[in-house]
Amino acid sequence: MIAERQTRVLNNVQAINEALDLALERDPRVVLFGEDVGTMGGVFRASDGLQQKYGEQRVFDTPLAESGIVGFGIGLAMAGLRPVAEIQFAGFLYPALDQILSHLGRMRHRTRGRFTIPMVVRAPYGGGVKTPEQHADSPEAILAHVPGVKVVIPSSPERAKGLLLAAIEDPDPVFFLEAIKLYRGVKAPVPEGYYTLPLGKARVVREGNAASLFCYGGMVEVCLKAAEVAAREGVELEVVDLETLVPLDTETILASVRKTGRAVVVYEAMRTCGFGAEVAARIAEEALDYLQAPIVRVAGWDAPYPPFSAVEHYYRPDAKRVLEAVRRVLTH
Amino acid sequence: METVRYLDDTGIPLRELPFSPEELRQGYRALRRARLFDEKAVLLQRQGRLGVYPPFRGQEAAQVGVALCLKADHDWLLPSYRESAAALTFGMPIHKLILSWRADPAGWGAPPDVNMVQFYIPIATQIPQAAGVAHAQRLLGKNAVAAVFIGDGGTSEGDFHEGLNFAAVFGAPLLVVVQNNGWAISVPTHKQMKVERIAQRAQGYGIPGVVVDGNDLVAVWNVAKEAVERARRGEGPTLIEALTYRIAPHTTSDDPSRYRSEETTREWERRDPIARMKNCLAHLGLWDEEEEARLSEALEAEFAAELALADQAREPKPWEIVEQVYAEMQPDQKAAWVYLRGEA
């Protein structure tokens, strides 16, 4: 049992580094690559020390070309390896969209299973750390709209480690988005050794019955903070961490809505066509009769993520905005 | 850049040929087999028994010459949509190719002993993937190589550059074969690029580049053979530009009279790769009309049998749409699958 294991306090980058280390150790087919991933250990140090430990054949730098990285990885995967690619920032994924949309998620389908892509594409995403332009994007909805790929976004070091190891074991392509805000902002006990956590499962991280907050990645701590504030006024909010956006654990979402009758969906990407719209649509389709109030989204504004850090915090949802939405659904 | 040739425009050898008489005959048979497939495919399309089809008439030598150097259960082929000739020479069963061009899922997966990825429809995405497939062979300790095809138009795509650069940097055992057939649908090569020869670009990647007469089977075959040997020795990728011509329309839906004159086409028809190879064999005393008749008969019989196999394939079922999306069917696909089962 994982719960009985020894733990160590790690931040998210350390937990991810540990997962990559264990995957390389366990499966000789695993290879790690991307820009600055090798000698330097990644701009966030996620692969720190791994090239030194496993050699340049298994952990290597690539030319600076994202379409090349994803396309090259697809080739490695088809030929029988387990590639784990790092895209330096999720906002730099866009040159690879042809590879992603045309091939990554389709290869199994278009070859009737003859060729498959057991590949993980890791990318830091999201705002809140005063990064330069393009470095704070949250493109998860674009990725979730690609058939045949999975999309996973962890919210804590323990979850990140187990989910990343599960993603690397998975027979299909997985996007693994890591909230930059959480890389060093959160430290928590992490079980030692190799373990996986199931993909495709949402989890209730705080129980309550007044309203449900649905969130993932960097928004989980924001929602937990909002729930704490509400609790002081005697309002018990339920916080559900979706963790895997594709395949989505609709059952856990619906169970929470049936219990609370009120839903707020929180995500930091631009509001229109964001992933929260999908969550809201599923609730409306499957649990309308249980709703006591309209479903409300709290999200980034319909504008590019602001490249001017003095007002950045107005873009990214915070506990205050979440609580305003909670008030709306509670007073409807 | 010099163009590698072994045969003159009529097929008379310009120098000693680097293949045995039996190999030369084998090469000719492969060309004829490809030509027959192409002619039959166009006919089937006209009868409504094939979907939209991209013919390769005139480009047989450029594809067959490369495929003859590869072992299907060891090496890899990543063809674009115009490479049915490479595919069938490599080892794809003809009935699978027919099904494939019928857009029938039964044709999409190569047999387990044929390492061919289903024809690429987007342009140039196959190049970085081929670099990865090739590099993986080295990581896995195999001496296999990969061959990837693209057209002259495709070289304008970013992935052509990224893929070649990756292949070069990693020393991947890869053949990048550009069939310069003069046209990207309606856009001629001179509007596509400012360089005279696509193979010149190899210099920009620090790899060898070769220009070859793409309608000269012996030349293509030997250039590819040398590139394969180099790759197997661990000396990295080669960019091969095969000069050829798209005699046929872009696809069975295209009307070339809107953008080109038939004069050039007729000029290229005089350099037909199959007629040249046949002349070559006749000149060397390796072929006669009796053998030609036997070959025609054998190829017709093979195609008829394969077509019958394709015609026997069961109809695709509606619920197959949501199969093979993931290794394990996920809830959303499952719901669709149940619905589609009920519809049928």
Side-chain angles (χ1 to χ4, degrees), chain A residues 114-115, chain B residues 33 37 72 77 79 83-100 106-119 302 306:
Chain A
R114 172 70 169 86
F115 297 112
Chain B
R33 187 164 174 258
F37 175 87
L77 179 68
E83 275 84 58
S84 290
L88 73 94
T89 308
F90 184 65
M92 268 299 271
I94 288 173
H95 69 273
K96 282 258 183 195
L97 290 176
I98 295 170
L99 288 166
S100 186
W108 294 354
D113 57 348
V114 178
N115 295 331
M116 188 194 106
V117 186
Q118 172 70 358
F119 298 108
E302 182 197 26
E306 291 284 317

Side-chain angles (χ1 to χ4, degrees), chain B residues 40-83:
Chain B
K40 298 282 187 193
V42 171
L43 281 175
L44 287 173
Q45 194 280 334
R46 294 287 179 247
Q47 295 165 1
R49 297 168 72 195
L50 212 65
V52 174
Y53 173 74
F56 54 74
R57 190 179 188 83
Q59 300 180 215
E60 291 87 350
Q63 300 181 30
V64 167
V66 177
L68 285 172
C69 302
L70 307 170
K71 288 182 224 122
D73 60 351
H74 182 63
D75 300 312
W76 286 70
L77 179 68
L78 295 91
S80 86
Y81 49 78
R82 198 165 317 280
E83 275 84 58

Side-chain angles (χ1 to χ4, degrees), chain A residues 234-255:
Chain A
V235 177
E236 287 302 332
L237 298 174
E238 181 144 301
V239 179
V240 180
D241 179 358
L242 302 180
E243 250 177 20
T244 302
L245 306 194
V246 183
L248 186 63
D249 181 2
T250 311
E251 279 315 308
T252 299
I253 294 169
L254 296 179

Side-chain angles (χ1 to χ4, degrees), chain A residues 270-304:
Chain A
M270 187 176 112
R271 181 172 181 269
T272 299
C273 292
F275 192 77
E278 178 65 29
V279 176
R282 285 182 188 232
I283 295 169
E285 277 180 347
E286 305 290 337
L288 191 66
D289 294 344
Y290 293 86
L291 286 174
Q292 308 289 318
I295 308 158
V296 175
R297 285 176 288 168
V298 181
W301 306 114
D302 284 312

Side-chain angles (χ1 to χ4, degrees), chain A residues 165-184:
Chain A
L165 286 169
I168 294 170
E169 277 188 19
D170 199 89
D172 290 305
V174 181
F175 282 103
F176 198 83
L177 300 186
E178 301 157 4
I180 300 170
K181 179 80 161 50
L182 302 182
Y183 264 159
R184 293 193 163 75

Side-chain angles (χ1 to χ4, degrees), chain B:
Chain B
M1 287 181 90
E2 196 204 337
T3 303
V4 178
R5 306 181 81 197
Y6 277 87
L7 307 177
D8 76 4
D9 280 356
T10 64
I12 308 299
L14 298 164
R15 48 184 156 141
E16 204 184 320
L17 303 186
F19 296 99
S20 70
E22 189 38 51
E23 283 174 318
L24 293 172
R25 277 194 290 257
Q26 179 206 349
Y28 177 67
R29 285 190 208 105
L31 285 182
R32 286 273 283 107
R33 187 164 174 258
R35 171 66 55 91
L36 183 112
F37 175 87
D38 196 55
E39 289 175 347
K40 298 282 187 193
V42 171
L43 281 175
L44 287 173
Q45 194 280 334
R46 294 287 179 247
Q47 295 165 1
R49 297 168 72 195
L50 212 65
V52 174
Y53 173 74
F56 54 74
R57 190 179 188 83
Q59 300 180 215
E60 291 87 350
Q63 300 181 30
V64 167
V66 177
L68 285 172
C69 302
L70 307 170
K71 288 182 224 122
D73 60 351
H74 182 63
D75 300 312
W76 286 70
L77 179 68
L78 295 91
S80 86
Y81 49 78
R82 198 165 317 280
E83 275 84 58
S84 290
L88 73 94
T89 308
F90 184 65
M92 268 299 271
I94 288 173
H95 69 273
K96 282 258 183 195
L97 290 176
I98 295 170
L99 288 166
S100 186
W101 292 119
R102 278 181 185 167
D104 186 319
W108 294 354
D113 57 348
V114 178
N115 295 331
M116 188 194 106
V117 186
Q118 172 70 358
F119 298 108
Y120 282 77
I121 305 299
I123 307 297
T125 47
Q126 69 272 29
I127 310 286
Q129 294 182 23
V133 165
H135 184 56
Q137 305 310 311
R138 299 186 72 202
L139 294 178
L140 293 164
K142 300 179 182 172
N143 78 335
V145 307
V148 63
F149 280 85
I150 192 166
D152 43 283
T155 66
S156 298
E157 290 277 4
D159 265 3
F160 177 75
H161 162 69
E162 294 193 22
L164 271 170
N165 190 45
F166 268 67
V169 164
F170 291 104
L174 178 67
L175 276 67
V176 179
V177 185
V178 181
Q179 291 186 88
N180 183 348
N181 69 8
W183 297 94
I185 304 188
S186 69
V187 179
T189 312
H190 71 87
K191 288 187 183 170
Q192 197 73 240
M193 61 193 74
K194 285 290 279 182
V195 288
E196 197 193 337
R197 288 287 171 252
I198 292 162
Q200 286 174 272
R201 296 184 188 175
Q203 206 186 347
Y205 302 107
I207 63 171
V210 188
V211 185
V212 61
D213 179 342
N215 286 19
D216 174 345
L217 177 71
V218 180
V220 175
W221 195 354
N222 201 50
V223 160
K225 196 175 147 216
E226 286 174 1
V228 167
E229 284 164 3
R230 199 159 44 236
R232 291 205 208 281
R233 285 197 303 268
E235 291 168 27
T238 305
L239 175 61
I240 297 169
E241 178 182 9
L243 301 177
T244 183
Y245 198 77
R246 201 193 75 212
I247 300 290
H250 164 63
T251 67
T252 44
S253 306
D254 179 35
D255 172 13
S257 71
R258 291 182 63 88
Y259 53 81
R260 72 182 190 187
S261 91
E262 286 312 296
E263 258 168 67
T264 321
T265 313
R266 279 193 291 277
E267 210 174 283
W268 275 90
E269 274 171 344
R270 284 197 288 275
R271 273 173 267 172
D272 181 69
I274 288 147
R276 274 169 88 181
M277 195 60 195
K278 190 181 171 190
N279 254 354
C280 164
L281 292 182
H283 178 81
L284 295 171
L286 299 174
W287 200 254
D288 57 31
E289 285 311 313
E290 207 176 299
E291 280 184 278
E292 181 73 16
R294 273 206 302 273
L295 175 62
S296 296
E297 202 180 317
L299 292 177
E300 288 281 353
E302 182 197 26
F303 190 89
E306 291 284 317
L307 179 60
L309 265 183
D311 288 343
Q312 279 163 25
R314 55 160 200 59
E315 288 280 303
K317 302 284 184 262
W319 55 88
E320 285 178 54
I321 294 169
V322 292
E323 290 177 353
Q324 299 288 357
V325 179
Y326 296 100
E328 201 178 312
M329 196 175 274
Q330 300 299 322
D332 290 339
Q333 285 74 31
K334 181 77 185 180
W337 191 83
V338 168
Y339 175 85
L340 290 166
R341 291 287 299 202
E343 282 291 287

